[in-house]
Amino acid sequence: MNSRSTVPVHGDGEEKRHTAKTPAAPPGPPGRRVPALLRRSLAFAMLCVLSATACAPGGNTAQDGPEPGATRTATPSPSPTPSADPVVRDVTPAQWQKMVETSMWREGCPATRESLRRLEINYIDFDGEIQRGVLVVNADIAENVSRIFTRLFHERFPIYRMQPVEAYEGDNKASLEDNNTAAYNCRRPNQINAPLRESPHANGRAIDINPLQNPWIDLRCKCWSPSDQYAERTPGKGVILEGGLVWQTFIEEGWVWQNIKVPDYMHFDTGYPSIPVTDNKPSPTASVGPPPSPISSPSP
C-alpha cells in the first residue's frame, strides 16, 4: 500500500500532489533594495550607450533603412521645353553709337536707327548647346526673320555664332572669317558688292549664315571666301543645301537664296534692289521690347 496521501482538489476527483513551499526570504535591510523601475531604467540607458541610433527620435531600424550600398536621390523635376524666345526691340542707344563709330552707318547708308530692329533670339550652337544671339534687321522683316530662326531653333539647325558686325568694328571680312551669322551692314567702300541704296545688307534685308560652311566667290579676288574648305556642296553640320531645311524655311517666307551671279551659299535676301518681303505676317512667337531713349548720334 502506497503511504503517499492525496487529497481531492477539484470536484471531478482530480488530484494534485502536495508540495511544500519554500518560505520567502525576509526583505533586506532598508535602503539597500534597488527598485525594479530603476533597474529597468539603468538597463535601457546601457542599451542607448551601445546603440545611440536606437534611442534617437525617429531613428531608422535595420528593417526600414536603405540596403547596404544604396544611395537615395531626389526625384528630378521635369525640365521646361526649350524655346527660341525671340524678342524684337528698337536698336539701343549704345548699339547705335557703336554702329556710327565703326562706320556701319554713315551718310549715304539707306537704313536708319528708326528703320532697324534688334532681334534677340536663342539658337543651337555647334556643340548642341543653346546660345543667345542678336541680328539687326529692317523693321519691315523683323517678325518674318523671327519666324525663320524660331523654326531653325526647333529643328536644331546649328549656327556657329550670331552677333552684330559692329563687334568686328564693322569689318565684314573679319565677321566672315569668324564664322559669324549676321544681317545688317552698310559695308565699307572696299567691301561693298552693290550700291548702298540698293544693297540688301545695307537695308537690313539680307542674312549670311555660317560663312565657313557656306562660302561665296569674292568677285574682288575671284576666290572662295572666307575659305574653300566647304566649297563642295555635301551634307554636313551647318551646311545649307538647295531643298534642305534652311533653304525651304527661307523660301517659304518669301526670301531668295544666292541672289547674285556667283555662288554665295551663305546668303539670303528679300530681293534686289532691296525690297520688303511681300507677305510679312506678324509672328505669334516674338515679343516686342521697350523702345530705347533718344541719343544724339546722327540719323538721316
Side-chain angles (χ1 to χ4, degrees):
M1 180 176 176
N2 194 340
S3 61
R4 184 183 63 181
S5 62
T6 61
V7 294
V9 176
H10 301 289
D12 58 2
E14 184 179 350
E15 298 177 344
K16 281 192 176 181
R17 180 181 302 171
H18 279 287
T19 304
K21 292 184 179 181
T22 304
R32 300 187 60 184
R33 182 180 181 183
V34 180
L37 178 60
L38 179 58
R39 289 198 302 270
R40 287 195 296 268
S41 298
L42 291 173
F44 184 73
M46 291 297 295
L47 179 61
C48 287
V49 172
L50 296 175
S51 178
T53 57
C55 303
N60 291 330
T61 64
Q63 293 180 344
D64 63 7
E67 295 181 1
T71 303
R72 291 186 177 181
T73 57
T75 303
S77 57
S79 301
T81 303
S83 168
D85 191 21
V87 179
V88 177
R89 305 182 188 274
D90 287 353
V91 175
T92 64
Q95 183 177 8
W96 180 253
Q97 186 69 44
K98 183 69 172 177
M99 292 165 69
V100 172
E101 291 173 354
T102 57
S103 296
M104 286 183 58
W105 184 90
R106 58 192 182 276
E107 293 292 340
C109 292
T112 67
R113 182 187 169 204
E114 290 75 20
S115 66
L116 294 173
R117 295 293 181 269
R118 172 188 173 94
L119 171 62
E120 302 169 2
I121 193 166
N122 292 337
Y123 66 92
I124 305 298
D125 68 12
F126 273 38
D127 294 324
E129 301 294 331
I130 297 176
Q131 304 293 343
R132 191 72 170 167
V134 175
L135 291 171
V136 176
V137 298
N138 199 295
D140 57 27
I141 63 165
E143 306 296 343
N144 180 283
V145 176
S146 174
R147 289 196 301 272
I148 290 172
F149 281 85
T150 294
R151 179 176 175 183
L152 297 185
F153 174 85
H154 289 297
E155 296 287 349
R156 300 191 66 81
F157 176 79
I159 294 174
Y160 189 82
R161 182 176 285 109
M162 185 193 296
Q163 60 184 348
V165 184
E166 63 265 20
Y168 304 91
E169 302 298 319
D171 187 343
N172 184 65
K173 185 174 183 291
S175 177
L176 298 183
E177 290 176 346
D178 201 31
N179 205 14
N180 180 52
T181 294
Y184 170 82
N185 188 7
C186 189
R187 292 171 175 169
R188 299 173 177 179
N190 64 339
Q191 294 183 339
I192 62 174
N193 302 321
L196 294 181
R197 290 286 172 185
E198 301 173 353
S199 166
H201 277 290
N203 281 276
R205 299 190 186 105
I207 301 176
D208 293 336
I209 302 175
N210 292 342
L212 179 61
Q213 286 74 27
N214 304 289
W216 80 297
I217 294 286
D218 190 331
L219 297 173
R220 285 168 286 272
C221 63
K222 296 183 180 179
C223 60
W224 288 102
S225 176
S227 167
D228 63 356
Q229 181 179 355
Y230 295 93
E232 185 178 350
R233 291 292 83 192
T234 57
K237 182 183 293 187
V239 174
I240 299 171
L241 298 174
E242 184 173 0
L245 169 67
V246 180
W247 180 91
Q248 183 180 25
T249 303
F250 274 91
I251 297 303
E252 288 177 356
E253 290 284 352
W255 291 61
V256 182
W257 187 41
Q258 302 189 87
N259 197 10
I260 194 171
K261 293 181 180 180
V262 296
D264 192 359
Y265 302 129
M266 72 183 78
H267 181 89
F268 289 91
D269 65 47
T270 60
Y272 182 84
S274 182
I275 56 174
V277 289
T278 55
D279 182 17
N280 188 23
K281 300 174 290 184
S283 170
T285 57
S287 59
V288 179
S293 39
I295 58 173
S296 58
S297 300
S299 177

mmCIF file of all heavy atoms in Angstrom, residues 64-110:
data_model
loop_
_atom_site.group_PDB
_atom_site.id
_atom_site.type_symbol
_atom_site.label_atom_id
_atom_site.label_comp_id
_atom_site.label_asym_id
_atom_site.label_seq_id
_atom_site.Cartn_x
_atom_site.Cartn_y
_atom_site.Cartn_z
ATOM 1 N N ASP A 64 13.813 49.265 -41.717
ATOM 2 C CA ASP A 64 13.264 50.288 -42.585
ATOM 3 C C ASP A 64 14.331 51.193 -43.191
ATOM 4 O O ASP A 64 14.006 52.154 -43.864
ATOM 5 C CB ASP A 64 12.244 51.155 -41.830
ATOM 6 C CG ASP A 64 12.875 51.915 -40.671
ATOM 7 O OD1 ASP A 64 14.113 51.892 -40.520
ATOM 8 O OD2 ASP A 64 12.118 52.534 -39.919
ATOM 9 N N GLY A 65 15.624 50.945 -42.987
ATOM 10 C CA GLY A 65 16.694 51.734 -43.562
ATOM 11 C C GLY A 65 17.022 51.254 -44.956
ATOM 12 O O GLY A 65 16.540 50.223 -45.421
ATOM 13 N N PRO A 66 17.885 52.014 -45.689
ATOM 14 C CA PRO A 66 18.268 51.605 -47.040
ATOM 15 C C PRO A 66 19.166 50.390 -47.009
ATOM 16 O O PRO A 66 19.860 50.127 -46.037
ATOM 17 C CB PRO A 66 19.027 52.837 -47.555
ATOM 18 C CG PRO A 66 19.547 53.509 -46.319
ATOM 19 C CD PRO A 66 18.511 53.264 -45.274
ATOM 20 N N GLU A 67 19.148 49.652 -48.081
ATOM 21 C CA GLU A 67 20.013 48.490 -48.190
ATOM 22 C C GLU A 67 21.460 48.951 -48.289
ATOM 23 O O GLU A 67 21.742 50.053 -48.742
ATOM 24 C CB GLU A 67 19.641 47.684 -49.436
ATOM 25 C CG GLU A 67 18.239 47.092 -49.360
ATOM 26 C CD GLU A 67 17.925 46.290 -50.603
ATOM 27 O OE1 GLU A 67 18.814 46.206 -51.469
ATOM 28 O OE2 GLU A 67 16.817 45.766 -50.697
ATOM 29 N N PRO A 68 22.409 48.097 -47.852
ATOM 30 C CA PRO A 68 23.820 48.486 -47.933
ATOM 31 C C PRO A 68 24.202 48.861 -49.351
ATOM 32 O O PRO A 68 23.870 48.162 -50.315
ATOM 33 C CB PRO A 68 24.557 47.218 -47.460
ATOM 34 C CG PRO A 68 23.544 46.499 -46.617
ATOM 35 C CD PRO A 68 22.213 46.790 -47.228
ATOM 36 N N GLY A 69 24.924 50.004 -49.510
ATOM 37 C CA GLY A 69 25.363 50.445 -50.823
ATOM 38 C C GLY A 69 24.339 51.267 -51.566
ATOM 39 O O GLY A 69 24.628 51.818 -52.629
ATOM 40 N N ALA A 70 23.115 51.384 -51.080
ATOM 41 C CA ALA A 70 22.084 52.137 -51.782
ATOM 42 C C ALA A 70 22.282 53.621 -51.536
ATOM 43 O O ALA A 70 22.729 54.034 -50.482
ATOM 44 C CB ALA A 70 20.702 51.708 -51.317
ATOM 45 N N THR A 71 21.986 54.443 -52.559
ATOM 46 C CA THR A 71 22.080 55.890 -52.463
ATOM 47 C C THR A 71 20.730 56.499 -52.763
ATOM 48 O O THR A 71 20.146 56.226 -53.798
ATOM 49 C CB THR A 71 23.123 56.439 -53.464
ATOM 50 O OG1 THR A 71 24.377 55.812 -53.202
ATOM 51 C CG2 THR A 71 23.243 57.943 -53.355
ATOM 52 N N ARG A 72 20.252 57.316 -51.846
ATOM 53 C CA ARG A 72 18.971 57.967 -52.061
ATOM 54 C C ARG A 72 19.170 59.229 -52.875
ATOM 55 O O ARG A 72 20.017 60.054 -52.557
ATOM 56 C CB ARG A 72 18.320 58.303 -50.721
ATOM 57 C CG ARG A 72 17.862 57.078 -49.945
ATOM 58 C CD ARG A 72 17.105 57.473 -48.703
ATOM 59 N NE ARG A 72 16.591 56.315 -47.986
ATOM 60 C CZ ARG A 72 15.884 56.374 -46.873
ATOM 61 N NH1 ARG A 72 15.625 57.548 -46.334
ATOM 62 N NH2 ARG A 72 15.440 55.287 -46.294
ATOM 63 N N THR A 73 18.422 59.396 -53.956
ATOM 64 C CA THR A 73 18.494 60.584 -54.787
ATOM 65 C C THR A 73 17.119 61.206 -54.905
ATOM 66 O O THR A 73 16.111 60.493 -54.919
ATOM 67 C CB THR A 73 19.010 60.235 -56.191
ATOM 68 O OG1 THR A 73 18.155 59.245 -56.774
ATOM 69 C CG2 THR A 73 20.430 59.691 -56.136
ATOM 70 N N ALA A 74 17.104 62.506 -54.991
ATOM 71 C CA ALA A 74 15.832 63.206 -55.148
ATOM 72 C C ALA A 74 15.282 62.982 -56.547
ATOM 73 O O ALA A 74 16.038 62.901 -57.523
ATOM 74 C CB ALA A 74 16.025 64.701 -54.894
ATOM 75 N N THR A 75 13.996 62.861 -56.676
ATOM 76 C CA THR A 75 13.364 62.690 -57.978
ATOM 77 C C THR A 75 13.473 63.994 -58.758
ATOM 78 O O THR A 75 13.008 65.034 -58.307
ATOM 79 C CB THR A 75 11.878 62.315 -57.821
ATOM 80 O OG1 THR A 75 11.787 61.140 -57.029
ATOM 81 C CG2 THR A 75 11.228 62.094 -59.177
ATOM 82 N N PRO A 76 14.141 63.990 -59.951
ATOM 83 C CA PRO A 76 14.321 65.242 -60.697
ATOM 84 C C PRO A 76 12.991 65.758 -61.227
ATOM 85 O O PRO A 76 12.127 64.994 -61.640
ATOM 86 C CB PRO A 76 15.261 64.836 -61.846
ATOM 87 C CG PRO A 76 15.034 63.358 -62.007
ATOM 88 C CD PRO A 76 14.716 62.840 -60.630
ATOM 89 N N SER A 77 12.859 67.075 -61.198
ATOM 90 C CA SER A 77 11.655 67.676 -61.758
ATOM 91 C C SER A 77 11.818 67.793 -63.266
ATOM 92 O O SER A 77 12.929 67.971 -63.763
ATOM 93 C CB SER A 77 11.424 69.064 -61.158
ATOM 94 O OG SER A 77 12.554 69.888 -61.389
ATOM 95 N N PRO A 78 10.745 67.678 -64.033
ATOM 96 C CA PRO A 78 10.856 67.748 -65.494
ATOM 97 C C PRO A 78 11.348 69.108 -65.952
ATOM 98 O O PRO A 78 10.961 70.150 -65.414
ATOM 99 C CB PRO A 78 9.404 67.496 -65.954
ATOM 100 C CG PRO A 78 8.561 67.819 -64.760
ATOM 101 C CD PRO A 78 9.378 67.464 -63.570
ATOM 102 N N SER A 79 12.261 69.113 -66.969
ATOM 103 C CA SER A 79 12.800 70.361 -67.488
ATOM 104 C C SER A 79 11.794 71.007 -68.430
ATOM 105 O O SER A 79 11.088 70.316 -69.161
ATOM 106 C CB SER A 79 14.108 70.088 -68.251
ATOM 107 O OG SER A 79 15.057 69.488 -67.384
ATOM 108 N N PRO A 80 11.726 72.345 -68.411
ATOM 109 C CA PRO A 80 10.819 73.009 -69.340
ATOM 110 C C PRO A 80 11.285 72.826 -70.776
ATOM 111 O O PRO A 80 12.468 72.674 -71.044
ATOM 112 C CB PRO A 80 10.901 74.475 -68.904
ATOM 113 C CG PRO A 80 12.214 74.593 -68.203
ATOM 114 C CD PRO A 80 12.445 73.263 -67.549
ATOM 115 N N THR A 81 10.359 72.844 -71.713
ATOM 116 C CA THR A 81 10.689 72.694 -73.121
ATOM 117 C C THR A 81 11.477 73.907 -73.583
ATOM 118 O O THR A 81 11.039 75.043 -73.404
ATOM 119 C CB THR A 81 9.411 72.542 -73.953
ATOM 120 O OG1 THR A 81 8.668 71.425 -73.465
ATOM 121 C CG2 THR A 81 9.747 72.351 -75.420
ATOM 122 N N PRO A 82 12.663 73.712 -74.194
ATOM 123 C CA PRO A 82 13.461 74.860 -74.657
ATOM 124 C C PRO A 82 12.684 75.673 -75.690
ATOM 125 O O PRO A 82 11.916 75.139 -76.490
ATOM 126 C CB PRO A 82 14.692 74.196 -75.279
ATOM 127 C CG PRO A 82 14.761 72.842 -74.667
ATOM 128 C CD PRO A 82 13.348 72.433 -74.416
ATOM 129 N N SER A 83 12.905 76.963 -75.692
ATOM 130 C CA SER A 83 12.212 77.869 -76.602
ATOM 131 C C SER A 83 13.206 78.812 -77.251
ATOM 132 O O SER A 83 14.237 79.145 -76.664
ATOM 133 C CB SER A 83 11.155 78.664 -75.831
ATOM 134 O OG SER A 83 10.658 79.733 -76.613
ATOM 135 N N ALA A 84 12.898 79.252 -78.472
ATOM 136 C CA ALA A 84 13.743 80.243 -79.148
ATOM 137 C C ALA A 84 13.637 81.601 -78.468
ATOM 138 O O ALA A 84 14.574 82.400 -78.535
ATOM 139 C CB ALA A 84 13.340 80.361 -80.614
ATOM 140 N N ASP A 85 12.514 81.869 -77.826
ATOM 141 C CA ASP A 85 12.297 83.083 -77.037
ATOM 142 C C ASP A 85 12.705 84.350 -77.805
ATOM 143 O O ASP A 85 13.531 85.138 -77.332
ATOM 144 C CB ASP A 85 13.071 82.985 -75.722
ATOM 145 C CG ASP A 85 12.681 84.081 -74.735
ATOM 146 O OD1 ASP A 85 11.576 84.644 -74.895
ATOM 147 O OD2 ASP A 85 13.482 84.383 -73.831
ATOM 148 N N PRO A 86 12.142 84.586 -78.989
ATOM 149 C CA PRO A 86 12.527 85.779 -79.752
ATOM 150 C C PRO A 86 11.941 87.057 -79.168
ATOM 151 O O PRO A 86 10.804 87.088 -78.708
ATOM 152 C CB PRO A 86 11.931 85.504 -81.136
ATOM 153 C CG PRO A 86 10.759 84.620 -80.868
ATOM 154 C CD PRO A 86 11.123 83.764 -79.682
ATOM 155 N N VAL A 87 12.746 88.111 -79.170
ATOM 156 C CA VAL A 87 12.313 89.432 -78.715
ATOM 157 C C VAL A 87 12.785 90.464 -79.736
ATOM 158 O O VAL A 87 13.973 90.511 -80.067
ATOM 159 C CB VAL A 87 12.881 89.775 -77.326
ATOM 160 C CG1 VAL A 87 12.437 91.170 -76.901
ATOM 161 C CG2 VAL A 87 12.446 88.738 -76.296
ATOM 162 N N VAL A 88 11.862 91.275 -80.222
ATOM 163 C CA VAL A 88 12.181 92.340 -81.170
ATOM 164 C C VAL A 88 12.212 93.664 -80.418
ATOM 165 O O VAL A 88 11.235 94.030 -79.765
ATOM 166 C CB VAL A 88 11.150 92.388 -82.317
ATOM 167 C CG1 VAL A 88 11.464 93.549 -83.259
ATOM 168 C CG2 VAL A 88 11.134 91.069 -83.084
ATOM 169 N N ARG A 89 13.329 94.382 -80.517
ATOM 170 C CA ARG A 89 13.487 95.663 -79.831
ATOM 171 C C ARG A 89 13.967 96.720 -80.829
ATOM 172 O O ARG A 89 14.535 96.388 -81.880
ATOM 173 C CB ARG A 89 14.515 95.561 -78.699
ATOM 174 C CG ARG A 89 14.263 94.477 -77.675
ATOM 175 C CD ARG A 89 15.344 94.535 -76.599
ATOM 176 N NE ARG A 89 15.273 93.397 -75.691
ATOM 177 C CZ ARG A 89 14.490 93.355 -74.615
ATOM 178 N NH1 ARG A 89 13.703 94.371 -74.332
ATOM 179 N NH2 ARG A 89 14.473 92.280 -73.824
ATOM 180 N N ASP A 90 13.786 97.971 -80.452
ATOM 181 C CA ASP A 90 14.465 99.045 -81.171
ATOM 182 C C ASP A 90 15.963 98.937 -80.895
ATOM 183 O O ASP A 90 16.384 98.409 -79.869
ATOM 184 C CB ASP A 90 13.946 100.400 -80.727
ATOM 185 C CG ASP A 90 12.539 100.694 -81.242
ATOM 186 O OD1 ASP A 90 12.020 99.896 -82.050
ATOM 187 O OD2 ASP A 90 11.968 101.702 -80.822
ATOM 188 N N VAL A 91 16.766 99.426 -81.814
ATOM 189 C CA VAL A 91 18.207 99.437 -81.607
ATOM 190 C C VAL A 91 18.511 100.341 -80.411
ATOM 191 O O VAL A 91 18.028 101.474 -80.334
ATOM 192 C CB VAL A 91 18.931 99.941 -82.865
ATOM 193 C CG1 VAL A 91 20.436 100.079 -82.616
ATOM 194 C CG2 VAL A 91 18.672 98.987 -84.042
ATOM 195 N N THR A 92 19.299 99.837 -79.473
ATOM 196 C CA THR A 92 19.587 100.588 -78.255
ATOM 197 C C THR A 92 20.514 101.770 -78.550
ATOM 198 O O THR A 92 21.261 101.757 -79.542
ATOM 199 C CB THR A 92 20.252 99.688 -77.214
ATOM 200 O OG1 THR A 92 21.530 99.256 -77.719
ATOM 201 C CG2 THR A 92 19.397 98.459 -76.919
ATOM 202 N N PRO A 93 20.510 102.775 -77.700
ATOM 203 C CA PRO A 93 21.417 103.909 -77.903
ATOM 204 C C PRO A 93 22.885 103.486 -77.969
ATOM 205 O O PRO A 93 23.637 103.974 -78.817
ATOM 206 C CB PRO A 93 21.147 104.793 -76.680
ATOM 207 C CG PRO A 93 19.751 104.455 -76.263
ATOM 208 C CD PRO A 93 19.588 103.005 -76.560
ATOM 209 N N ALA A 94 23.288 102.589 -77.069
ATOM 210 C CA ALA A 94 24.690 102.161 -77.044
ATOM 211 C C ALA A 94 25.067 101.434 -78.327
ATOM 212 O O ALA A 94 26.159 101.636 -78.884
ATOM 213 C CB ALA A 94 24.941 101.277 -75.829
ATOM 214 N N GLN A 95 24.176 100.591 -78.820
ATOM 215 C CA GLN A 95 24.478 99.855 -80.043
ATOM 216 C C GLN A 95 24.539 100.789 -81.243
ATOM 217 O O GLN A 95 25.442 100.679 -82.085
ATOM 218 C CB GLN A 95 23.432 98.756 -80.286
ATOM 219 C CG GLN A 95 23.766 97.913 -81.512
ATOM 220 C CD GLN A 95 22.783 96.770 -81.738
ATOM 221 O OE1 GLN A 95 21.760 96.676 -81.074
ATOM 222 N NE2 GLN A 95 23.104 95.911 -82.686
ATOM 223 N N TRP A 96 23.609 101.723 -81.336
ATOM 224 C CA TRP A 96 23.626 102.656 -82.465
ATOM 225 C C TRP A 96 24.892 103.512 -82.437
ATOM 226 O O TRP A 96 25.509 103.764 -83.485
ATOM 227 C CB TRP A 96 22.383 103.535 -82.441
ATOM 228 C CG TRP A 96 22.353 104.508 -83.584
ATOM 229 C CD1 TRP A 96 22.571 105.848 -83.519
ATOM 230 C CD2 TRP A 96 22.120 104.193 -84.960
ATOM 231 N NE1 TRP A 96 22.475 106.415 -84.766
ATOM 232 C CE2 TRP A 96 22.204 105.412 -85.676
ATOM 233 C CE3 TRP A 96 21.858 103.019 -85.647
ATOM 234 C CZ2 TRP A 96 22.022 105.483 -87.057
ATOM 235 C CZ3 TRP A 96 21.676 103.082 -87.028
ATOM 236 C CH2 TRP A 96 21.763 104.297 -87.719
ATOM 237 N N GLN A 97 25.302 103.930 -81.257
ATOM 238 C CA GLN A 97 26.524 104.713 -81.140
ATOM 239 C C GLN A 97 27.711 103.919 -81.684
ATOM 240 O O GLN A 97 28.565 104.465 -82.394
ATOM 241 C CB GLN A 97 26.763 105.088 -79.681
ATOM 242 C CG GLN A 97 27.937 106.041 -79.460
ATOM 243 C CD GLN A 97 27.649 107.433 -80.003
ATOM 244 O OE1 GLN A 97 26.557 107.966 -79.802
ATOM 245 N NE2 GLN A 97 28.616 108.015 -80.682
ATOM 246 N N LYS A 98 27.762 102.637 -81.349
ATOM 247 C CA LYS A 98 28.849 101.776 -81.837
ATOM 248 C C LYS A 98 28.780 101.622 -83.353
ATOM 249 O O LYS A 98 29.818 101.617 -84.032
ATOM 250 C CB LYS A 98 28.758 100.407 -81.155
ATOM 251 C CG LYS A 98 29.871 99.440 -81.524
ATOM 252 C CD LYS A 98 31.208 99.857 -80.967
ATOM 253 C CE LYS A 98 32.261 98.787 -81.183
ATOM 254 N NZ LYS A 98 33.607 99.197 -80.714
ATOM 255 N N MET A 99 27.587 101.509 -83.891
ATOM 256 C CA MET A 99 27.421 101.377 -85.343
ATOM 257 C C MET A 99 27.914 102.631 -86.066
ATOM 258 O O MET A 99 28.529 102.550 -87.137
ATOM 259 C CB MET A 99 25.955 101.093 -85.667
ATOM 260 C CG MET A 99 25.491 99.722 -85.197
ATOM 261 S SD MET A 99 23.693 99.535 -85.179
ATOM 262 C CE MET A 99 23.342 99.561 -86.947
ATOM 263 N N VAL A 100 27.658 103.786 -85.484
ATOM 264 C CA VAL A 100 28.126 105.035 -86.081
ATOM 265 C C VAL A 100 29.646 105.140 -85.970
ATOM 266 O O VAL A 100 30.344 105.516 -86.923
ATOM 267 C CB VAL A 100 27.447 106.242 -85.398
ATOM 268 C CG1 VAL A 100 28.060 107.560 -85.871
ATOM 269 C CG2 VAL A 100 25.942 106.223 -85.667
ATOM 270 N N GLU A 101 30.190 104.802 -84.813
ATOM 271 C CA GLU A 101 31.636 104.896 -84.595
ATOM 272 C C GLU A 101 32.418 103.978 -85.529
ATOM 273 O O GLU A 101 33.561 104.287 -85.901
ATOM 274 C CB GLU A 101 31.959 104.570 -83.139
ATOM 275 C CG GLU A 101 31.482 105.617 -82.147
ATOM 276 C CD GLU A 101 31.678 105.177 -80.701
ATOM 277 O OE1 GLU A 101 32.081 103.998 -80.496
ATOM 278 O OE2 GLU A 101 31.441 105.989 -79.789
ATOM 279 N N THR A 102 31.844 102.832 -85.880
ATOM 280 C CA THR A 102 32.539 101.872 -86.747
ATOM 281 C C THR A 102 32.168 102.049 -88.217
ATOM 282 O O THR A 102 32.514 101.207 -89.055
ATOM 283 C CB THR A 102 32.217 100.435 -86.317
ATOM 284 O OG1 THR A 102 30.796 100.236 -86.339
ATOM 285 C CG2 THR A 102 32.741 100.152 -84.918
ATOM 286 N N SER A 103 31.452 103.138 -88.538
ATOM 287 C CA SER A 103 31.037 103.473 -89.909
ATOM 288 C C SER A 103 30.087 102.447 -90.518
ATOM 289 O O SER A 103 29.950 102.376 -91.740
ATOM 290 C CB SER A 103 32.273 103.640 -90.824
ATOM 291 O OG SER A 103 33.064 104.732 -90.390
ATOM 292 N N MET A 104 29.431 101.654 -89.662
ATOM 293 C CA MET A 104 28.376 100.783 -90.179
ATOM 294 C C MET A 104 27.151 101.602 -90.555
ATOM 295 O O MET A 104 26.302 101.144 -91.310
ATOM 296 C CB MET A 104 28.015 99.718 -89.144
ATOM 297 C CG MET A 104 29.050 98.632 -88.999
ATOM 298 S SD MET A 104 28.514 97.371 -87.834
ATOM 299 C CE MET A 104 26.984 96.813 -88.568
ATOM 300 N N TRP A 105 27.040 102.771 -89.976
ATOM 301 C CA TRP A 105 26.128 103.773 -90.513
ATOM 302 C C TRP A 105 26.903 105.060 -90.727
ATOM 303 O O TRP A 105 27.700 105.489 -89.879
ATOM 304 C CB TRP A 105 24.950 104.069 -89.577
ATOM 305 C CG TRP A 105 24.024 105.039 -90.267
ATOM 306 C CD1 TRP A 105 22.974 104.728 -91.064
ATOM 307 C CD2 TRP A 105 24.133 106.463 -90.269
ATOM 308 N NE1 TRP A 105 22.410 105.867 -91.586
ATOM 309 C CE2 TRP A 105 23.108 106.966 -91.107
ATOM 310 C CE3 TRP A 105 24.985 107.380 -89.669
ATOM 311 C CZ2 TRP A 105 22.908 108.311 -91.359
ATOM 312 C CZ3 TRP A 105 24.811 108.740 -89.914
ATOM 313 C CH2 TRP A 105 23.774 109.196 -90.743
ATOM 314 N N ARG A 106 26.703 105.644 -91.876
ATOM 315 C CA ARG A 106 27.327 106.915 -92.242
ATOM 316 C C ARG A 106 26.434 107.575 -93.286
ATOM 317 O O ARG A 106 25.446 106.977 -93.754
ATOM 318 C CB ARG A 106 28.744 106.677 -92.794
ATOM 319 C CG ARG A 106 28.773 105.748 -94.000
ATOM 320 C CD ARG A 106 30.178 105.291 -94.354
ATOM 321 N NE ARG A 106 30.191 104.432 -95.537
ATOM 322 C CZ ARG A 106 29.952 103.129 -95.513
ATOM 323 N NH1 ARG A 106 29.680 102.525 -94.351
ATOM 324 N NH2 ARG A 106 29.988 102.414 -96.616
ATOM 325 N N GLU A 107 26.760 108.772 -93.675
ATOM 326 C CA GLU A 107 25.987 109.470 -94.697
ATOM 327 C C GLU A 107 25.937 108.632 -95.978
ATOM 328 O O GLU A 107 26.964 108.161 -96.456
ATOM 329 C CB GLU A 107 26.601 110.838 -94.995
ATOM 330 C CG GLU A 107 26.507 111.821 -93.852
ATOM 331 C CD GLU A 107 25.072 112.257 -93.565
ATOM 332 O OE1 GLU A 107 24.211 112.107 -94.452
ATOM 333 O OE2 GLU A 107 24.813 112.726 -92.442
ATOM 334 N N GLY A 108 24.738 108.443 -96.487
ATOM 335 C CA GLY A 108 24.556 107.653 -97.698
ATOM 336 C C GLY A 108 24.003 106.265 -97.429
ATOM 337 O O GLY A 108 23.499 105.598 -98.340
ATOM 338 N N CYS A 109 24.089 105.780 -96.178
ATOM 339 C CA CYS A 109 23.518 104.465 -95.840
ATOM 340 C C CYS A 109 21.995 104.591 -95.788
ATOM 341 O O CYS A 109 21.466 105.503 -95.140
ATOM 342 C CB CYS A 109 24.064 103.979 -94.506
ATOM 343 S SG CYS A 109 25.829 103.575 -94.529
ATOM 344 N N PRO A 110 21.268 103.687 -96.450
ATOM 345 C CA PRO A 110 19.817 103.846 -96.583
ATOM 346 C C PRO A 110 19.022 103.594 -95.310
ATOM 347 O O PRO A 110 17.995 104.238 -95.092
ATOM 348 C CB PRO A 110 19.449 102.825 -97.659
ATOM 349 C CG PRO A 110 20.527 101.790 -97.564
ATOM 350 C CD PRO A 110 21.766 102.524 -97.198
#
